[in-house]
Amino acid sequence: MIDELALKVRNGGRLERAEALELYLHAPTPLLGCLADEVRARKHPEGIVTYIIDRNVNYTNICVARCNFCAFYRPVGSTEGYVLGFEEIFRKIDETIALGGGQLLLQGGHNPDLPIEWYEDLFKAVKERYPAFRLHALSPPEVVHLSRMSRLPVPQVIERLIGAGLDSIPGGGAEILVDRVRKLLNCYGKATADEWLGVMRHAHQMGLRTTATMMYGTVETVEERLEHLFRLREVQDETGGFTAFITWSFQPDHTELGGVEATGVEYLRTLAIARLVLDNFDNLQASWVTQGG
Ligand code: SF4
C-alpha cells in the first residue's frame, strides 16, 4: 500500500484523505521526506530557496478571546497589558528597514478598545511615511473581531483595510480548522473554521494574497490535522490565493492548556505530509521561531 501511494505521488497523483492518513501514519520518515522533497523539486526545479526579511510586531497583547493554548495575551484591565503607540511602531519599521527588511507581520490580541479607525489611521500613517513598505497584517480572527465590533460585514472590513494600506493577510489563528478542536481550545468563539476560511475566501476574491498556517499538537486527532490540510486545499482550488503554508507545533509553556511539545520528527512528518496534500500550494515556510534553527 505504501509503495503504491509513493508511486502515485511520484506520478503527480492527488492524495485522497484515506491515502494521506495511510502515509502519515505508516510511511517511514525518510520516505515521507524524500517524497516531499521530490514534490518540492518538481515545483521549483531551479532549486532556489526564497525568503523575505520582515519583522513580527504584536501591536497589543490585550485580548478578549482567551484561547487556552496562548501564553501571550493579557485580559482587559491587566497591569501587563499594552498597546503600541504609532511612534513606537514607526521606530520598529525604521529598525527593520535599516536591516534590509521591507515588511511588518502585524498581529495582535482582540482588543475591544481599538476600533477599525485605529487600524485605518495606523495603516495610512505607515504608508504615508514608508510608501514601499508592506503591511502583512491582521489574521482572519482579527478581521472577524473587527467585523463584529464595527458591525460591518467581513468584505467591507477588508475593503476598508485595503483602502488604508493593507497588502496581504497572514494565516494566523487557524490552529486546527475543525470546530470540535476549536471548542476544546476555546478558540471557536473568536472564529469558527468556516469563518476563518470565509475571511480568506473574501480576501482572495478581493485580490489579496494570504498565507495559511496550522498549529498542531494540542487535542486534535491525526485525522483532524489532515482534515485541516484538505480544507485549505479545497479553498486553494477555488481561489488560488494562498502563497504559502506554515505549520508549527503547540508551545505548551506558560499556557492554561499545558502538556508536552511534539517532537522534531513529528514536525518533519507533518511538514512532509503537508507538502504532499497541499499540491496546489507553491511554497512551504519553516517556522524558525517555534521549531528553532
Ligand atoms: S486570539 Fe490570539 S492573542 Fe488572543 S488569546 Fe487567542 S491566540 Fe492569544
Side-chain angles (χ1 to χ4, degrees):
M1 181 71 174
I2 296 292
D3 289 347
E4 281 167 32
L5 292 175
L7 191 64
K8 181 172 184 180
V9 169
R10 289 191 160 121
N11 288 333
R14 185 164 242 210
L15 291 177
E16 300 303 329
R17 280 168 170 75
E19 294 171 331
L21 183 64
E22 179 71 17
L23 279 175
Y24 194 30
L25 289 178
H26 302 301
T29 302
L31 173 66
L32 213 48
C34 280
L35 291 174
D37 191 52
E38 285 171 30
V39 171
R40 180 202 55 79
R42 207 154 59 212
K43 281 182 178 290
H44 303 284
E46 66 286 359
I48 294 172
V49 175
T50 58
Y51 61 91
I52 55 160
I53 304 173
D54 71 355
R55 182 167 188 176
N56 193 344
V57 171
N58 301 119
Y59 56 89
T60 182
N61 66 347
I62 297 168
C63 189
V64 291
R66 311 183 78 147
C67 310
N68 61 16
F69 57 83
C70 176
F72 167 72
Y73 83 89
R74 294 293 179 272
V76 175
S78 164
T79 52
E80 294 176 344
Y82 72 81
V83 177
L84 295 182
F86 285 13
E87 287 303 324
E88 195 162 351
I89 293 173
F90 297 155
R91 192 176 52 75
K92 288 176 186 290
I93 293 175
D94 287 333
E95 289 168 1
T96 308
I97 291 171
L99 290 169
Q103 174 174 283
L104 278 198
L105 164 53
L106 190 68
Q107 299 180 113
H110 300 188
N111 187 329
D113 291 328
L114 300 181
I116 188 168
E117 289 79 12
W118 184 87
Y119 298 86
E120 289 179 308
D121 290 348
L122 173 65
F123 291 5
K124 281 181 192 156
V126 168
K127 288 291 177 173
E128 220 162 83
R129 278 187 172 224
Y130 315 92
F133 199 79
R134 295 182 65 82
L135 289 168
H136 185 48
L138 306 187
S139 61
E142 291 167 89
V143 174
V144 170
H145 170 70
L146 283 181
S147 155
R148 289 177 189 159
M149 280 219 312
S150 56
R151 295 169 193 253
L152 291 170
V154 162
Q156 224 169 307
V157 170
I158 297 173
E159 197 180 3
R160 280 179 60 168
L161 295 172
I162 292 174
L166 177 68
D167 291 299
S168 56
I169 292 184
E175 333 313 353
I176 294 288
L177 292 168
V178 173
D179 286 339
R180 185 197 77 87
V181 178
R182 303 186 75 76
K183 285 177 186 165
L184 290 172
L185 296 178
N186 200 37
C187 65
Y188 176 76
K190 75 175 179 183
T192 65
D194 281 345
E195 283 174 324
W196 191 98
L197 291 162
V199 171
M200 290 313 200
R201 238 187 229 106
H202 287 303
H204 296 167
Q205 283 159 0
M206 296 167 83
L208 286 189
R209 308 300 299 277
T210 79
T211 54
T213 68
M214 174 170 80
M215 180 194 70
Y216 68 93
T218 57
V219 299
E220 81 283 357
T221 64
V222 170
E223 287 84 350
E224 286 166 333
R225 276 183 211 176
L226 292 173
E227 183 59 26
H228 177 102
L229 298 177
F230 279 95
R231 295 206 73 185
L232 290 177
R233 188 171 86 176
E234 284 158 14
V235 172
Q236 182 74 329
D237 275 342
E238 274 173 60
T239 66
F242 291 117
T243 56
F245 172 76
I246 312 113
T247 187
W248 61 83
S249 56
F250 164 53
Q251 307 293 301
D253 287 354
H254 312 297
T255 66
E256 186 187 328
L257 185 63
V260 181
E261 188 180 343
T263 65
V265 170
E266 205 167 349
Y267 175 65
L268 293 176
R269 293 184 68 85
T270 303
L271 204 54
I273 200 69
R275 183 46 114 184
L276 302 186
V277 172
L278 297 175
D279 57 358
N280 50 7
F281 276 63
D282 286 343
N283 304 294
L284 257 59
Q285 287 177 17
S287 175
W288 188 341
V289 178
T290 52
Q291 311 309 138

